[in-house]
Amino acid sequence: MTDAEPPVLLFTPGGRDAVVAATILGEGQIASQICGSLAEVVARLHTAACAVLTEEALLSSNRQALADWIAAQPPWSDFPFILLRLRGAEPNTQLTDLLGNVSVLERPFHPATLIMAARAAHRAKRRQLEARAHLEERERTTERQALLIRELHHRVKNTLATVQALLGASARSATTVDAFYEAFSARVISLAKTHNLLTEDYWQQAPLREMLMNELGPYNDVEGSRIQLDGPPIELMGDLAVPTGMAIHELTTNAAKHGALSVPEGCIRIRWGVEQTSAARMLHLDWTERGGPFTETPTRKGFGSTLLQRVLKLQCQAEIAFDFQPAGLHFTMRAPLPETRVVPTY
C-alpha cells in the first residue's frame, strides 16, 4: 500500500460488509476509506480511485447528488464503481445505468475477486488521469502555437515595415547605385543578425551584450580595449530587440565612417543598466566615443539619426539624446522594458 495511490471508498452500511471489504483490500495492499453516507462518498469521489457500494445502500439513499456528480464529469473521466448485490437477486438496471462504469459482484464473493476488481478500477483511473494529462498538454501546446502565430504575424508586419523604411531612406540618401546597395545590404544583414538571436532563443529574446558584439566585435583590437562593454545580462524581447539592433548598427556605421572607429586610436564605451520605476522597468544605455576625429553637430539630419528618432521613439517609447561633443559622440537611450514572458512549467 502506498500513499501515492488514491483510496477505494466503501459505502456498505449493512452488517460487517465495510469492515470485511476494508480488511480484504488491506491484505491486497489497497488503501480504503469507509464512508458513513452517500453524501460523504460524493464529497470524496474526486480524490478516490473507485467506490464500492451495495445495492441496498444506494436504494435507501437520495441518489440525486451522485447522479449530478457523475453527469458533470469532464470528457476524460469515467469514474469506476463496484456494486455489491446479493446472489440470486434480480439486477437493478436503474442503479447500473446510474453508475455507468460499474462492475457488479455477487455476495458472498471470494476475497480475490474484490481485490482484482479494485485493481482493475485503479488501472482504469490511472489511464483516465493519463488521458487528462495528455489533453491538458495538447491544450497548452495549442495555446502556445496560437501565441507564436500571433507573434509571427506581428513580427512579420514590423519587419516588413522596417525593411520598407530602410529601402526608402537608403535610396534617398544614396548618391550612386553602388552606395545604395552597400548601405541597404549592410542594414538588412544587421536586421537578420538580430532576428537570428531571437529565433535561436525559445522565448524570443535577444541578449543585449551579444547584439552589441555582433556589430562592434570586428572593430575591437586584440587586447579588447577599443570596445568596452559594461552592464548586467539583459535579454530584450523582440519588439525592443529589433529596433535596438538597428540603432546599434547605425551608431556603429556612423562611428566607422566619421567617429571613433574611423581611426586606429579611437574607442567606444557602452554602459547599460535597468531601473525599476513605479510605471515600468527602464533600460538605460549610454554610448560614448573617444579618440576619434573632432566632432560637431551635423548641419543636416542623416538617415541613422532619423531611424533612431522614428523607430526608437515611436515604436519603443524611448527617450534618446545625441550630444556631439568635440571629443566624440555621446548617445543615450532610456526605454521601457516589456515584461519578460513567463511560461508555466508542468
Side-chain angles (χ1 to χ4, degrees), residues 166 170 178-194 214-215 219 245-246 248-250 252-254 257 303 307:
L166 294 176
S170 298
D178 290 340
F180 162 76
Y181 178 81
E182 180 181 354
F184 183 64
S185 297
R187 285 161 178 153
V188 171
I189 290 171
S190 174
L191 184 64
K193 288 180 180 178
T194 301
N214 276 347
E215 294 291 342
Y219 298 96
M246 296 303 301
I248 293 170
H249 172 75
E250 294 303 323
T252 302
T253 301
N254 182 74
K257 289 182 176 180
F303 169 71
L307 175 73

Side-chain angles (χ1 to χ4, degrees), residues 12 33 73 80 89 129 131 147 149 170 208 213 222 238 269 293-294 296:
T12 58
Q33 290 180 351
Q73 291 182 92
L129 293 175
L147 174 63
I149 289 172
S170 298
L208 177 58
M213 286 307 301
V222 177
R269 181 178 184 183
F294 178 83
E296 58 183 354

